[in-house]
Amino acid sequence: MSLNIRPEDVFLISYPRSGNTWVRFMLANLLKPDSETIDFHNIHDYIPEEGRNNDIINTLSSPRIIKTHSTYKADYSRVIYLVRDGRDVYVSYYHYRLKKLPEGCSFSEFLRMEDHSPSLWGDHVESWLNHEEQLSGILIIHYENLLSNPNAELKKMVDFIGIQATEEEIIQAVHASRFDNMRKIDQTKGRKYNLTGTDEFIRKGIKGDWQEQFTRDDIEFFNKREGKILIDLGYEESFEW
């Protein structure tokens, strides 16, 4: 089913493993009735995914919030772009996809692959940030800021979308979307879409996990391919890290 895009639609966009599901839970917990508990099955009713849930999207009233991992598309004019340190992204993505990778595939081998879906992390980031002027509105949210102050970051998103929510409602939505709660829901109720066969979707959710995984060779490789983007985003001041 095709998607009829409306001018007021807000697209929640990120590279995989950058906090999209966490933000979807927070926003869905603001939109749901008090009697409902958000899980990995009904979340699509509130924050559906472009392509997979077009039938649901076309029934929702505006402003619709639509999740996607797509690289830049000119049709998506109002965007919340979630960005996370690419080093942590690749570590998380490796563990998420591990069961579908060739047997014995190391993190170093995974990092060097060029066919990551939907693209390389750096290409994804650049595809959106290089088109800021073409968008009617974009809000950039750093995953690390979500970790340190989720209430304030959710308030930014609420204001951008145009949702009416009190401070107390925001606090409750953040609380209901804690990592331990999401992990418990994942373990007890499972997920509607488990395409990689992973036992758990919610992993550590921390920043700096790459330091336990990257070798010196990995650092040099990443710097050559995507290190400039780390600097542009403020994650590093130079290539010496």
Side-chain angles (χ1 to χ4, degrees):
M1 180 181 292
S2 62
L3 175 61
N4 298 315
I5 297 175
R6 305 170 189 166
E8 59 271 29
D9 287 340
V10 175
F11 288 86
L12 180 63
I13 303 174
S14 74
Y15 193 80
R17 313 304 292 174
S18 298
N20 204 306
T21 299
W22 183 21
V23 170
R24 288 174 81 200
F25 261 77
M26 287 192 280
L27 291 171
N29 273 303
L30 285 176
L31 298 173
K32 72 175 183 65
D34 291 339
S35 59
E36 191 165 7
T37 299
I38 295 299
D39 57 34
F40 288 91
H41 295 266
N42 63 11
I43 192 171
H44 311 284
D45 296 331
Y46 298 96
I47 319 287
E49 183 174 357
E50 185 271 332
R52 177 175 286 163
N53 306 128
N54 285 3
D55 56 332
I56 297 174
I57 296 171
N58 288 332
T59 67
L60 296 179
S61 57
S62 297
R64 304 181 301 186
I65 309 167
I66 303 167
K67 173 241 177 153
T68 180
H69 290 308
S70 173
T71 52
Y72 175 75
K73 288 185 179 180
D75 290 343
Y76 300 171
S77 60
R78 297 188 69 224
V79 168
I80 296 174
Y81 189 76
L82 307 175
V83 64
R84 184 183 186 186
D85 186 324
R87 297 164 295 189
D88 284 334
V89 167
Y90 280 121
V91 170
S92 180
Y93 209 12
Y94 169 68
H95 288 283
Y96 175 64
R97 292 187 56 198
L98 193 54
K99 285 191 174 182
K100 293 293 184 178
L101 295 173
E103 186 174 355
C105 179
S106 68
F107 171 74
S108 293
E109 292 170 327
F110 174 79
L111 179 66
R112 286 159 176 76
M113 292 178 179
E114 295 291 330
D115 60 345
H116 292 291
S117 178
S119 67
L120 294 175
W121 168 78
D123 290 343
H124 196 282
V125 173
E126 287 189 319
S127 80
W128 285 102
L129 301 193
N130 287 350
H131 286 92
E132 286 187 63
E133 293 183 0
Q134 284 74 43
L135 302 170
S136 63
I138 183 170
L139 175 66
I140 299 171
I141 298 291
H142 284 252
Y143 179 84
E144 295 76 14
N145 292 339
L146 276 170
L147 287 175
S148 62
N149 196 344
N151 292 4
E153 297 304 300
L154 180 56
K155 179 65 165 60
K156 290 178 186 177
M157 290 184 273
V158 163
D159 291 344
F160 180 83
I161 297 164
I163 300 173
Q164 298 300 315
T166 66
E167 182 179 353
E168 181 60 30
E169 287 170 335
I170 288 174
I171 291 171
Q172 290 175 354
V174 169
H175 182 75
S177 308
R178 299 186 320 271
F179 279 102
D180 58 340
N181 192 40
M182 290 171 61
R183 186 177 293 111
K184 187 179 195 180
I185 291 170
D186 184 9
Q187 292 170 345
T188 56
K189 295 188 176 181
R191 304 189 298 281
K192 187 173 183 178
Y193 306 109
N194 186 5
L195 303 182
T196 61
T198 50
D199 294 326
E200 60 178 31
F201 186 79
I202 307 302
R203 194 171 164 264
K204 294 182 179 180
I206 62 175
K207 69 175 182 177
D209 198 29
W210 67 268
Q211 297 175 61
E212 302 295 322
Q213 194 82 61
F214 273 63
T215 65
R216 175 47 55 184
D217 286 344
D218 294 337
I219 290 173
E220 292 178 1
F221 175 83
F222 186 89
N223 255 337
K224 289 177 182 177
R225 193 176 70 183
E226 294 161 284
K228 182 180 181 301
I229 302 162
L230 280 184
I231 297 171
D232 292 344
L233 290 171
Y235 287 111
E236 295 292 347
E237 295 182 356
S238 72
F239 291 100
E240 301 298 322
W241 46 271

